[in-house]
Amino acid sequence: MGWCGPSRDEVWERLSREIDGEFVAGSFWMRGKVQKRDDHWTVTLDTVSRQHGEHGHAMYTRLRAPFANPEGFRFTVYQAGFFSRLGRTLGMQDVEIGDATFDDAFVVWGNDESMLVALFADPTLRGMFGALPRMRLDIRNCGSWFGPTCPPDTDLLCLETSGVVKDLGKLKLFFAVFPALLHRLCAIGAAHKYDPGVTL
């Protein structure tokens, strides 16, 4: 334990035990991660560094899960802020789910409005989102030059939040939201229930 409390690895190791996951220690080439198998999917927690400004970098905590997405469904969800609310008053369009509290709190974009409304028709799922810290969640392409090889029609469900998260409660909530989302995506016909066999 350091001067500022337990280290990331200490918290993440404890997390892996409490959610019945696996902690994979980092190395010179790879950052540590936690992986949790849930039904047909494997959810991976790790960190990533991104360019921030001209000379700096910022660290983000992320969760990812490969899944079969034959319909090519895409969406992005993030908490509304001053600029997004200002944009709404100026005519910026985002999808309204039909729950005033949720619609006020989140900006939602997607390529199929009816699927988005169906996805968030579940009040339990909306409630889980209301408890999340500031984050951005989306569906993105699975394969990349430096990423895993992915079969056709496979994409990534991805959540990112700034900083290195060491709050056990927040981390457990992230791991609860992912399977709830994936099962809901299957329920509305936007995902299939099988393991795409992608290792992150």
Side-chain angles (χ1 to χ4, degrees), residues 8-197:
R8 188 205 70 167
D9 282 3
E10 288 172 321
V11 173
W12 286 20
E13 277 192 273
R14 179 181 170 187
L15 170 71
S16 67
R17 293 193 300 270
E18 294 190 9
I19 65 171
D20 195 25
E22 178 187 7
F23 175 74
V24 181
S27 65
F28 181 79
W29 299 106
M30 182 183 70
R31 293 189 175 96
K33 60 187 176 182
V34 174
Q35 293 189 303
K36 162 86 169 140
R37 180 77 179 176
D38 197 296
D39 204 355
H40 308 277
W41 308 284
T42 299
V43 181
T44 299
L45 166 74
D46 63 5
T47 56
V48 61
S49 177
R50 300 201 184 284
Q51 186 76 28
H52 185 71
E54 290 188 17
H55 305 293
H57 286 78
M59 192 68 72
Y60 293 84
T61 298
R62 67 180 178 182
L63 278 85
R64 295 173 296 161
F67 74 102
N69 184 20
E71 302 301 319
F73 183 43
R74 289 284 188 277
F75 72 85
T76 299
V77 182
Y78 56 90
Q79 282 92 345
F82 171 78
F83 289 106
S84 59
R85 290 190 177 98
L86 178 63
R88 285 170 176 168
T89 66
L90 297 175
M92 182 188 80
Q93 295 295 314
D94 64 318
V95 176
E96 291 191 354
I97 302 304
D99 178 321
T101 301
F102 185 90
D103 289 334
D104 184 59
F106 291 94
V107 176
V108 180
W109 299 85
N111 62 357
D112 189 318
E113 183 172 342
S114 62
M115 272 195 173
L116 271 172
V117 172
L119 176 64
F120 289 106
D122 181 353
T124 301
L125 185 60
R126 294 198 306 272
M128 294 172 79
F129 266 73
L132 288 172
R134 185 157 292 277
M135 57 82 211
R136 180 184 180 93
L137 184 138
D138 58 22
I139 295 175
R140 59 186 64 173
N141 292 336
C142 181
S144 68
W145 288 106
F146 302 103
T149 300
C150 299
D153 297 331
T154 299
D155 286 311
L156 287 177
L157 182 65
C158 185
L159 179 152
E160 291 189 1
T161 187
S162 61
V164 177
V165 178
K166 296 191 291 182
D167 182 304
L168 201 60
K170 291 178 182 178
L171 292 167
K172 285 183 176 180
L173 182 56
F174 290 153
F175 272 95
V177 165
F178 258 59
L181 265 170
L182 288 163
H183 281 288
R184 187 67 187 160
L185 286 167
C186 290
I188 66 171
H192 286 184
K193 288 185 176 181
Y194 67 83
D195 183 355

